[in-house]
């Protein structure tokens, strides 16, 4: 129950030493139990019976989402309404499967144990000839497993450098003009992902996924890997600096509301923090931080 369910041993070893920065397509490894763990029949059953949690469902077409009242009744998923939107060509995003489907929870926790990276899973059910999400890029690497049908992925090289968390996210950028340029240029890659294939899509790569040319419904799962960065280490170091008595002292109001005085306080705090950080035992801190990396839940999970 780990990345080995998605990749063969050689690819797995490569990923553990050189994290992917370019899109790539792989075949699910022989003997993988993933198709038995989660498949199109299971996901469609969750939708058709209304057993999926309504607050984890998005109903989307051509990049626009319906309001939850359009497919839920009294806070519960409404199978009749789901069927109506399916007939109208809407796609269904089933979010955070790792939170409420135990086998995928176990898989994500195993991935976190072996990589130190957090993980969550989102599924997409797209009717033949339709499109759900359109042009965007993601803040984390996505590992896309095609469970049924085919999906076309138009992919462009990153247009921003190292997007991370909310910084340089596609939903904070003026996209209309960019999309017109992407359409005019044409994609750098165009991939028709087939059942049993896995697409590695690093963060920042612009993509326009669709099933517009397909005659069968497309079902895929995206394992979103929350990569660790130097910024994450910096956050943990800064948080640990609460052990510094000087940094815990209260600043007088006059030294906050006065611009020059506040600048002096900032300079003093920076100097104190740098001095404190220079004394951190990195080996000891690494042991503590590794345990956190392998166990902490993402902030939006809680």
């Amino acid at each position: 129950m780990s990345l080995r369910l998605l990749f063969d041993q050689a690819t797995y070893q490569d990923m553990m030493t050189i994290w992917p920065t370019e899109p790539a397509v792989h075949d699910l490894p022989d003997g993988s139990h993933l198709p038995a763990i989660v498949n199109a029949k299971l996901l469609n059953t969750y939708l058709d019976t209304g057993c999926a949690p309504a607050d984890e469902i998005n109903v989307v077409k051509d990049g626009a989402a319906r309001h939850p009242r359009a497919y839920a009744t009294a806070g519960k998923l409404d199978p009749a309404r789901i069927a109506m939107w399916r007939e109208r060509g809407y796609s269904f995003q089933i979010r955070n499967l790792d939170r409420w489907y135990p086998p995928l929870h176990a898989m994500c926790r195993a991935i976190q144990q072996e990589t130190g990276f957090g993980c969550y899973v989102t599924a997409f059910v797209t009717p033949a000839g339709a499109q759900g999400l359109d042009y965007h890029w993601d803040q984390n690497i996505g590992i896309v497993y095609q469970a049924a049908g085919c999906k076309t992925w138009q992919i462009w090289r990153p247009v921003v450098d190292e997007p991370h968390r909310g910084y340089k996210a596609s939903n904070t950028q003026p996209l209309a003009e960019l999309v017109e340029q992407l359409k005019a240029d044409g994609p750098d890659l165009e991939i028709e992902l087939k059942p049993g294939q896995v697409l590695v899509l690093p963060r920042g790569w612009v993509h326009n996924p669709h099933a517009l040319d397909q005659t069968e419904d497309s079902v895929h799962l995206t394992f979103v890997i929350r990569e660790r960065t130097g910024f994450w280490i910096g956050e943990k170091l800064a948080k640990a600096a609460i052990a510094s008595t000087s940094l815990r002292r209260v600043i007088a109001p006059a030294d906050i509301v006065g611009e020059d005085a506040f600048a002096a306080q900032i300079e003093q705090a920076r100097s104190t923090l740098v001095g404190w950080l220079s004394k951190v035992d990195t080996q000891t801190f690494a042991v503590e931080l590794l345990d956190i990396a392998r166990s902490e839940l993402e902030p939006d999970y809680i």
Side-chain angles (χ1 to χ4, degrees):
M1 294 290 284
S2 70
L3 285 176
R4 291 180 176 87
L5 293 182
L6 290 158
F7 302 105
D8 61 44
Q9 184 62 22
T11 303
Y12 169 80
Q13 290 295 344
D14 287 345
M15 291 182 69
M16 291 295 288
T17 52
I18 305 174
W19 195 244
T21 58
E22 300 269 338
V25 175
H26 303 270
D27 292 321
L28 209 64
D30 293 339
S32 173
H33 298 304
L34 188 56
I37 291 171
V38 60
N39 50 59
K41 182 179 179 181
L42 173 72
L43 296 172
N44 279 307
T45 298
Y46 271 123
L47 292 173
D48 295 339
T49 60
C51 287
D55 59 354
E56 297 290 13
I57 303 296
N58 283 329
V59 177
V60 188
K61 186 176 182 181
D62 300 329
R66 306 296 307 191
H67 191 279
R69 284 196 300 267
Y71 52 87
T73 301
K76 304 295 184 183
L77 206 61
D78 188 326
R81 294 184 180 186
I82 290 293
M84 177 188 71
W85 293 120
R86 197 192 286 269
E87 283 186 19
R88 295 181 183 182
Y90 277 78
S91 294
F92 302 92
Q93 181 186 25
I94 310 172
R95 301 179 301 148
N96 298 313
L97 278 151
D98 54 293
R99 300 188 188 184
W100 48 274
Y101 182 54
L104 288 181
H105 175 86
M107 185 173 175
C108 281
R109 297 292 74 77
I111 289 172
Q112 186 168 2
Q113 276 290 314
E114 68 188 357
T115 64
F117 294 167
C119 174
Y120 68 90
V121 186
T122 294
F124 293 85
V125 178
T126 303
Q131 179 168 20
L133 300 179
D134 57 10
Y135 296 84
H136 68 285
W137 63 84
D138 296 312
Q139 305 300 92
N140 299 278
I141 195 170
I143 299 174
V144 180
Y145 162 57
Q146 189 70 26
C150 298
K151 197 154 204 177
T152 301
W153 291 79
Q154 295 178 312
I155 302 173
W156 291 259
R157 291 190 171 276
V159 296
V160 299
D161 188 30
E162 299 292 351
H164 187 46
R165 299 189 184 175
Y167 187 68
K168 295 188 176 181
S170 59
N171 62 1
T172 66
Q173 308 293 313
L175 284 186
E177 187 175 332
L178 173 61
V179 168
E180 290 305 312
Q181 187 61 53
L182 294 175
K183 289 179 179 178
D185 294 343
D188 294 312
L189 291 169
E190 186 159 333
I191 297 166
E192 184 174 305
L193 203 63
K194 298 177 174 61
Q197 290 187 320
V198 176
L199 169 64
V200 175
L201 187 63
R203 60 180 176 161
W205 285 74
V206 184
H207 47 285
N208 179 47
H210 64 80
L212 295 172
D213 304 321
Q214 304 302 328
T215 57
E216 297 180 10
D217 292 356
S218 166
V219 178
H220 79 261
L221 293 98
T222 300
F223 292 80
V224 181
I225 310 296
R226 292 283 184 85
E227 298 127 315
R228 307 299 183 191
T229 65
F231 182 74
W232 177 78
I233 294 174
E235 280 185 322
K236 298 302 183 186
L237 284 166
K239 186 175 180 180
I242 198 170
S244 166
T245 303
S246 297
L247 288 171
R248 296 199 310 273
R249 289 197 179 104
V250 176
I251 302 170
D255 289 337
I256 291 178
V257 299
E259 187 175 313
D260 290 341
F262 195 30
Q265 288 291 331
I266 293 171
E267 184 174 346
Q268 181 180 331
R270 179 180 63 183
S271 177
T272 303
L273 178 60
V274 169
W276 184 88
L277 291 174
S278 68
K279 298 175 183 177
V280 171
D281 184 329
T282 54
Q283 203 67 38
T284 300
F285 194 73
V287 173
E288 297 173 1
L289 203 54
L290 176 58
D291 183 60
I292 293 171
R294 285 176 166 166
S295 62
E296 75 171 353
L297 297 175
E298 298 300 328
D300 60 358
Y301 193 105
I302 300 169

